[in-house]
Amino acid sequence: MSAVDWTPFWLSFRLAATTTAILFVIALPLAWWLSRTRHRAKPLIEAVTALPIVLPPSVLGFYLLWGLSPQSPLGSFFQELFGIKLVFSFTGLVVASCLYSFPFMVQPLQSGFESLDRRMIEASWLAGKGPWQTLWHVALPNIKPSLITALIVTFAHTVGEFGVVLMVGGSIPGETRVASVAIYDLVENMDYTTAHLYSAVLLILSFSVLLGVFLFNRRHRHRNGGRV
C-alpha cells in the first residue's frame, strides 16, 4: 500500500470537485428555466443537454480534442491571449468533464423542479419574491433529494470518466493521469496487483455513493409520508 502512487486519485477528486462546482452554477438556472418554460426550443435544448449520455465517449473526446487544440479558433484564442493550453492539461480535463457530465447535473435538478407544486411557486411570486429569491428560498429547499442526487452522481461520474479524459488529457503524471487512466496504464504494463487495488478503490467509492443517495432519498420519502 505504501508503494502505491495516490496522485491519480487526488487528481480525480480534484477534477470531480471542480467539475461539480462549475456545473452546479451553470446547470441550476438552465434546469430551472427548462422546468418552467413552454418555449418551442425546449425539446432541442433538452436533446443537446442529454447528448453526452448516448454519444460514445470516443466521439465526444475526438471532437473536444479537435475543438480545443491549438489549431482550432478556441484553442488558439486561449493559448495566445491567456497562455492557457486546453489539450493535455488539467484545464482541458475540466472543460471536457463539464461537457461530459452536464446531463448528470441538469436532469435531476430539472426533474426535481418539475415535481414541485406550482401553487408553491405562484404563492412565492404573489408574496413579492423575484425569480432568484423563489429559486433559492422556495424551490431548492424543497428538492433536496434531487439536489443531492445531482451533486453526488455528477461527482462520482466525473471520477469514473475514462474515454473523454484520456483523449483530451492523455496520461501525464501529476497533471492529467487520473485514476481511470492510471488503471488502464497499469493493465497495459501488466501490473495487475496495483490495477486491482486502484479498481477496488473506485468500486467501493461508486457503491458507497449510490448507496448513500438511495438511503438519503428513502429517509426523505419516509419523513415526508411517502411523498417524493
Side-chain angles (χ1 to χ4, degrees):
M1 292 285 287
S2 59
V4 174
D5 179 14
W6 295 101
T7 304
F9 288 98
W10 157 245
L11 280 174
S12 292
F13 297 149
R14 180 184 165 204
L15 175 64
T18 305
T19 299
T20 302
I22 293 173
L23 285 184
F24 178 72
V25 173
I26 297 173
L28 183 63
L30 176 61
W32 176 246
W33 179 80
L34 287 172
S35 69
R36 303 287 104 193
T37 189
R38 295 182 179 177
H39 197 282
R40 285 184 294 179
K42 179 181 176 179
L44 175 62
I45 296 173
E46 287 178 321
V48 172
T49 301
L51 192 59
I53 295 178
V54 298
L55 199 63
S58 56
V59 174
L60 181 60
F62 168 74
Y63 280 116
L64 283 172
L65 184 62
W66 172 75
L68 301 178
S69 69
Q71 288 72 38
S72 71
L74 182 63
S76 175
F77 172 79
F78 273 90
Q79 189 153 348
E80 291 178 7
L81 242 64
F82 305 107
I84 299 175
K85 188 172 68 170
L86 294 180
V87 291
F88 305 116
S89 68
F90 185 80
T91 303
L93 289 188
V94 172
V95 174
S97 296
C98 284
L99 290 172
Y100 190 46
S101 295
F102 197 48
F104 294 90
M105 180 67 77
V106 173
Q107 292 187 354
L109 291 176
Q110 182 183 346
S111 178
F113 288 140
E114 289 174 346
S115 69
L116 287 173
D117 188 342
R118 188 166 184 83
R119 290 173 298 182
M120 184 187 302
I121 306 300
E122 291 171 349
S124 174
W125 291 339
L126 289 174
K129 295 185 183 294
W132 283 106
Q133 287 178 307
T134 300
L135 171 61
W136 283 104
H137 300 295
V138 178
L140 273 181
N142 286 281
I143 63 161
K144 286 182 181 178
S146 299
L147 176 61
I148 297 299
T149 298
L151 293 172
I152 294 181
V153 172
T154 299
F155 184 92
H157 180 261
T158 305
V159 169
E161 289 176 15
F162 172 68
V164 171
V165 295
L166 178 63
M167 294 191 71
V168 175
S171 181
I172 305 173
E175 180 73 18
T176 64
R177 191 173 182 256
V178 295
S180 57
V181 175
I183 293 171
Y184 177 78
D185 290 342
L186 290 167
V187 172
E188 274 201 324
N189 294 326
M190 301 182 69
D191 185 357
Y192 298 130
T193 301
T194 311
H196 272 302
L197 177 60
Y198 278 36
S199 300
V201 171
L202 290 185
L203 175 62
I204 294 170
L205 172 67
S206 301
F207 178 78
S208 301
V209 164
L210 290 176
L211 181 61
V213 169
F214 289 136
L215 289 175
F216 176 85
N217 289 341
R218 182 182 180 185
R219 283 199 298 269
H220 187 272
R221 283 195 298 269
H222 287 172
R223 195 178 300 127
N224 288 275
R227 298 191 302 274
V228 179

